[in-house]
Amino acid sequence: MNVFRLTGDLSHLAAIIILLLKIWKTRSCAGISGKSQILFALVFTTRYLDLLTSYISLYNTFMKVVYIGCAYATVYLIYMKFKATYDGNHDTFRAEFLVVPVGGLSFLVNHDFSPLEILWTFSIYLESVAILPQLFMISKTGEAETITTHYLFFLGLYRALYLINWIWRFYFEGFFDLIAIVAGVVQTILYCDFFYLYVTKVLKGKKLSLPA
């Protein structure tokens, strides 16, 4: 495992922990898109079904279980534990407009037309756009809490580091996965505007807002 993949995994884990701690400490999920969190739970569920069929390493298994567990814990906190604080009036992005096209694309463009491979491909495509409900919610409210922006930053950083990981693997291992790379590029592009605002506002102590 190269350093870019490891730091990417740690950045991803940091984002998840930041979000869970934010919700638990404030006893509120205000400003958090439940729809994005459901999509991420769906991403991890469909991607890591290989837990039932194969074993790669203790690290690999541990991280997969943590991602799945944390994803469903987040959904539980938003829709059950702290449901009264969930801002459904602003979390209005039509998630089906993401799931249905992504589902169709995963059937048409994949590495192998088998159930597990199609579900893995679905998870890769869906992850690239799963953050859209959250970004849409921020654009509707006009701002985001600082802790929420830290969560988004680490989430975006994880994907950017994974892009570098794919480039590294291509040059040093001869490994090339076009589906993962294209999806990673799309996901990173979605974060570009946010990264700019994060650096120019949040890091200077100002509140973040996205253009409506």
Side-chain angles (χ1 to χ4, degrees):
M1 180 185 298
N2 64 65
V3 66
F4 299 111
R5 179 171 180 178
L6 179 59
T7 51
D9 285 345
L10 293 177
S11 178
H12 194 185
L13 188 59
I16 293 171
I17 291 174
I18 286 171
L19 181 63
L20 282 171
L21 286 178
K22 182 266 181 195
I23 296 174
W24 189 257
K25 284 192 171 185
T26 63
R27 318 297 285 181
S28 169
C29 55
I32 303 299
S33 168
K35 291 184 177 181
S36 271
Q37 297 310 313
I38 287 176
L39 292 179
F40 281 124
L42 185 57
V43 164
F44 296 136
T45 302
T46 53
R47 181 174 302 172
Y48 298 142
L49 287 173
D50 63 345
L51 279 171
L52 304 174
T53 61
S54 60
Y55 175 81
I56 298 174
S57 68
L58 180 60
Y59 171 83
N60 184 275
T61 300
F62 174 76
M63 293 300 281
K64 289 177 178 178
V65 171
V66 167
Y67 288 150
I68 293 173
C70 287
Y72 281 98
T74 304
V75 171
Y76 166 75
L77 291 179
I78 293 173
Y79 288 100
M80 300 288 288
K81 183 76 172 177
F82 304 121
K83 183 179 180 180
T85 65
Y86 170 56
D87 188 7
N89 291 328
H90 287 116
D91 193 14
T92 56
F93 192 95
R94 299 288 295 276
E96 61 269 27
F97 290 165
L98 299 177
V99 175
V100 173
V102 161
L105 185 61
S106 62
F107 271 94
L108 297 173
V109 183
N110 51 66
H111 295 309
D112 179 52
F113 198 77
S114 63
L116 281 181
E117 189 64 32
I118 289 172
L119 288 171
W120 178 86
T121 305
F122 170 80
S123 78
I124 295 295
Y125 292 152
L126 184 60
E127 185 183 26
S128 70
V129 294
I131 200 62
L132 281 176
Q134 180 66 65
L135 296 178
F136 182 73
M137 187 176 186
I138 293 175
S139 72
K140 286 195 72 176
T141 58
E143 62 181 23
E145 293 180 26
T146 299
I147 192 68
T148 304
T149 63
H150 294 332
Y151 157 70
L152 290 171
F153 173 77
F154 279 102
L155 203 58
L157 181 62
Y158 138 69
R159 182 41 62 186
L161 286 167
Y162 252 66
L163 267 184
I164 301 174
N165 162 63
W166 293 124
I167 296 171
W168 174 278
R169 293 192 66 186
F170 174 71
Y171 277 101
F172 293 96
E173 301 175 15
F175 182 84
F176 183 76
D177 189 328
L178 184 61
I179 289 175
I181 291 174
V182 171
V185 169
V186 169
Q187 189 172 356
T188 304
I189 289 174
L190 291 177
Y191 281 96
C192 283
D193 188 39
F194 168 80
F195 280 143
Y196 172 76
L197 292 172
Y198 184 85
V199 172
T200 58
K201 291 189 176 183
V202 178
L203 294 185
K204 294 181 179 179
K206 301 176 183 178
K207 272 213 166 189
L208 179 143
S209 61
L210 290 178

